[in-house]
Structure formats: C-alpha cells, structure tokens
Amino acid sequence: MGYSRVEQDILQAFTIGDIIELPAGYLAAAFGYERRTEKASFSEDGTNVLNSGLANASTSGSYTTQDLFAEISLPLVSSDMDIPLVNTLSVDASFRRIDNDAAGKDNVWAVGLNYQPISDLMVRANYSETVRAPSVTELFLPVIQDSQFGTDPCDINNIDKGPSPATRRANCEAAGVPDGYKAVSGNASRVGTTGGNIDLESEKAEGLNIGLVYAPEWFEGFSFKIDYIKIDIEDAIVDFTLTDILNACYDSTNYPNEFCGKFRRGADFQIPADKAFESGYVNAALQEFETYEYEVMFKRPLHQYPLIGGLLPENSGELGIRSRLYNLKKDAKSNTGFDFEDNTGEYDNPDWLGDLRFDYTLEDINVYFDVEYHGEGNRNNDSTNFYDYIDQNGNPYNKIQSQTLYTLGGSYYLNDNAVVRFRVDNLFDWYPSVRELSVARFTYGRVFSAGFTYKF
C-alpha cells in the first residue's frame, strides 16, 4: 500500500484563421505554443516497509515539455473551376517542435492529400512521423526488489533456438558458457530489481493511411469506405524481464551489448540467486502493423427505403444500418529488435473482425441491435506438433472457432432532461466451447441492464 499523486499543468496559446484567398478557396492556418508539466509522486506505507524488510520505495519525479506547432490547409482545386477529373484537390500539413526536458527534442509532422475526381468519390492519403514521450510512470516508477524466473538462452535445451540459432550459440560460446550447460534460473527464481528508467527516449512512429469514400448522390444515405493503414514503431518502450534481457544479450549480432551488463553470472555460469539482474523499462521494441478497414453505411427515413418504403407512412421513423470489417494483415512485435513475432491469425488476433448495427429512431424512441464477429484463429501460429494442444475431450486441435455475439438495447426520452435506457448483452445466451474455455473465453450469460438519467 502507499499514496500516489499525479499532477498536470497545461498552458496553451494559439491563433487560427484564414490567411489569404486563393483561386480554389482560402488558405487556412493555425499557430500555437503549449507548455505542459507532469508530476508524479509515490509515498511508501511505513508499516509495509517495516513488515517487509525491503528498502523504502518512495519516489517522485516530473518533466516539462514545450511545443511549438503550425497547421495549414491549402486548397488547390475547387469544384467551380471545372477541371476534368479533378472536382476538388487540397493538401493539409502540420508540424510540431517538441522540447521535452526528460526525453529530448523531436520534430513531428504530417501531410495529407484530399482528392475528389468526381463529387461522389473522395480519395485521401496521409503520411506522418510522430513520437510518444515516456510517461511519468515509465520514467519514475520506484526501483524495487523483484523476484523472477529467467529462461537462459545458453541452456543446453535453448542454445540452438531463437531467431538465429547460430548467432545465439556463438555468443554463448564467446561468453565462456560450457557445452552441456544446464541453467537453474528457469526453475528457481532469481532476485534483482525492476522499475522506471530516467534515461528513456521517445518512441518514434511512421504512419501511412490511404483510403477512399464513395457516397453517390443518386443513392442518398449510402456510403462506402475503405482504408489501408500501416504503422511502424521503433524504440518502443517495453518493460523488460530477466528473460528479455538474456535474449537481447545473446541473440544480437552486436555482442556484447548494453543488455549484457544488466545481469551477472557466477563462477559456475549460473545466474546467481541474489542481485542477479536489473530489469524495467527500456527503449528496445519494434512493431509493424498493417490492416484494411471497410465500412458500409445506409441511413434514411424508413418510408424512403427501397422496396418497403412505399408501404409505410412518412412518420415511420429512421433506420440506419452500418457494417464494418477489419482485415488484419500484420501485427509483428519484437522486444529486442531482431526476434519478430507475428501473431496475426491467432485466436486473440484473428485475420477478420467485424460488427453490424441496426439503429432505429422514432421521435423520442431509439432501439439498436448489434452483431459482433470475432474470426477463427490458431491457438498458436508456431505450433508444429499435432498434439501440442488437446481439449477436455481428448481431441488434438490448433484452431479456436469464431465467435458471434448479439446485443439489443434502446432508450426513451421522457422529456428534454430525463431518459430511460435498457440493454441486453449476449442476447442469445452464447456459451464457450471446451476449446474456447481453454483460452479463457468466458461469459456471464445473458445480461440485462437498465438505467435512468436526469439532468438538472
């Protein structure tokens, strides 16, 4: 137990407006300054310190960031210029200079293009280079004693594994670890330290988004969107364990490296039982993400719907239908920069996700019906043995079936200030199969909830 306090002070000033009129419209711009200070403190409970016998882990820290930023929107072509196949064309750009007294200085920027070949179709593209500064927790979390197990890559059972077995073996041999070495750290915990890191730098990311929106005038209320998204992150901040440190040392082509100094071995080459390692937050990870997103929407008064609209009166309300699909192509992560693992297609990161919503409104009444789809996936992409996973019925498997859940809800406005709500989750009382239970899919059954809100 203990006492934590987080404070944030923000000062911001900016100006925004039209700068000059161009043939296609006004050049708009915004300029500004922001100063933000974040502080955090943690006070250890005195009784806990006395009872545990450990050192007092109380700590505090702060950082200040000062940013200068500018944004512009530049129209190049407008619809009244009557240029064939260029209904509208514009460029958006932004720039920010960041000066963080803990993480250093960075420049972040983005540029976007918006192009309408015809009034019904919009093509858009955006590229950005951004950063994420380390949080107060990542910087100033107390460094405390910690007990961990550690899988030793130089162990006889591990030395010929890893992202590059030859590199791992060569580095273990260079460290003097003898052939046939059997580590004890995988079965007997080692004591070291873990906590924040005041030397952290900002994470850096590059992002690309290309998409189109089709909303035809001849089919009022309909739109179709597709987006391609790609994000690459480097120097990502991760909480390293003893196993991560060992792998980062021996799997690198740059040996010895900084991680090799974060643990020690005894004369027998075993990781010692005490004062064995220094773990915690480091800039080490890489991430590569790639996906496609699709969305179809249709919303109209019910009496205007194709086929059925002519059978209904004008005051029949409004019905909206929205469907979204997400096709994950890549979600690869590496804690060390060379051991990429892509779990795309596994049960908790499937190739396909989707949802469908029907939303009906009639004056003060709203009712919606949701369908959520979670696609089929592998139990483990790296599994090569047919008998790695066996369910409760004794059947081997490596596929977890798809999951579809349904929700019904709605609201009724009694007046401008009062609204009554209801919701039924897991409408058809889905229950996981024995294989789904093995990966911790669970349900509370069909759940009913209701609420009332009144604004004074």
Side-chain angles (χ1 to χ4, degrees), residues 19-264:
I19 304 300
I20 187 174
E21 186 176 9
L22 301 172
Y26 280 94
L27 169 65
F31 305 92
Y33 166 81
E34 180 180 81
R35 185 180 192 276
R36 188 177 76 254
T37 299
E38 298 201 19
K39 306 175 183 177
S41 61
F42 173 76
S43 299
E44 181 71 273
D45 182 87
T47 303
N48 184 58
V49 173
L50 291 174
N51 290 339
S52 67
L54 300 177
N56 191 325
S58 298
T59 189
S60 63
S62 67
Y63 69 81
T64 298
T65 181
Q66 300 187 75
D67 300 355
L68 294 171
F69 61 88
E71 301 177 8
I72 65 166
S73 180
L74 174 62
L76 299 175
V77 178
S78 63
S79 58
D80 56 10
M81 296 173 72
D82 295 325
I83 298 177
L85 296 180
V86 187
N87 185 59
T88 65
L89 180 65
S90 64
V91 174
D92 300 322
S94 63
F95 175 83
R96 181 177 288 254
R97 173 64 172 176
I98 300 173
D99 186 355
N100 185 306
D101 63 11
K105 299 179 180 180
D106 290 289
N107 296 325
V108 302
W109 59 275
V111 60
L113 179 71
N114 304 293
Y115 166 55
Q116 275 188 302
I118 57 175
S119 61
D120 294 350
L121 180 65
M122 168 69 78
V123 180
R124 57 195 182 192
N126 180 275
Y127 177 82
S128 63
E129 292 189 2
T130 60
V131 299
R132 184 187 77 84
S135 68
V136 171
T137 297
E138 292 163 341
L139 288 166
F140 305 115
L141 188 72
V143 176
I144 60 173
Q145 193 174 83
D146 190 33
S147 177
Q148 299 180 19
F149 294 93
T151 300
D152 195 328
C154 296
D155 181 275
I156 187 174
N157 295 312
N158 304 320
I159 194 168
D160 291 317
K161 298 180 180 179
S164 175
T167 298
R168 175 179 286 191
R169 173 174 280 279
N171 290 339
C172 290
E173 290 175 351
V177 179
D179 288 339
Y181 164 75
K182 294 184 178 181
V184 299
S185 58
N187 299 311
S189 63
R190 312 284 93 176
V191 175
T193 60
T194 189
N197 180 357
I198 61 173
D199 295 322
L200 289 174
E201 299 177 354
S202 295
E203 297 180 345
K204 299 173 178 61
E206 297 179 3
L208 175 65
N209 185 334
I210 301 174
L212 63 84
V213 181
Y214 179 57
E217 294 181 3
W218 57 269
F219 195 16
E220 183 181 352
F222 173 84
S223 67
F224 170 76
K225 302 177 183 178
I226 179 173
D227 283 282
Y228 168 75
I229 300 169
K230 186 177 189 297
I231 302 172
D232 293 331
I233 302 174
E234 63 180 28
D235 291 331
I237 299 170
V238 289
D239 190 3
F240 255 30
T241 64
L242 173 57
T243 297
D244 293 326
I245 294 169
L246 291 166
N247 290 338
C249 172
Y250 293 109
D251 286 335
S252 173
T253 55
N254 177 28
Y255 176 86
N257 54 60
E258 60 178 302
F259 296 106
C260 300
K262 297 291 186 181
F263 66 94
R264 65 188 184 93

Side-chain angles (χ1 to χ4, degrees), residues 413-420 452-456:
Y413 280 85
L414 301 174
N415 52 50
D416 291 341
N417 299 320
V419 59
V420 178
F452 174 76
T453 301
Y454 186 85
K455 297 189 295 183
F456 293 93

Side-chain angles (χ1 to χ4, degrees), residues 32 56 156 160 221 230 285 295 301 308 380 384 393:
N56 191 325
I156 187 174
D160 291 317
K230 186 177 189 297
E295 180 180 276
I308 64 170
N380 185 345
T384 57
N393 297 322

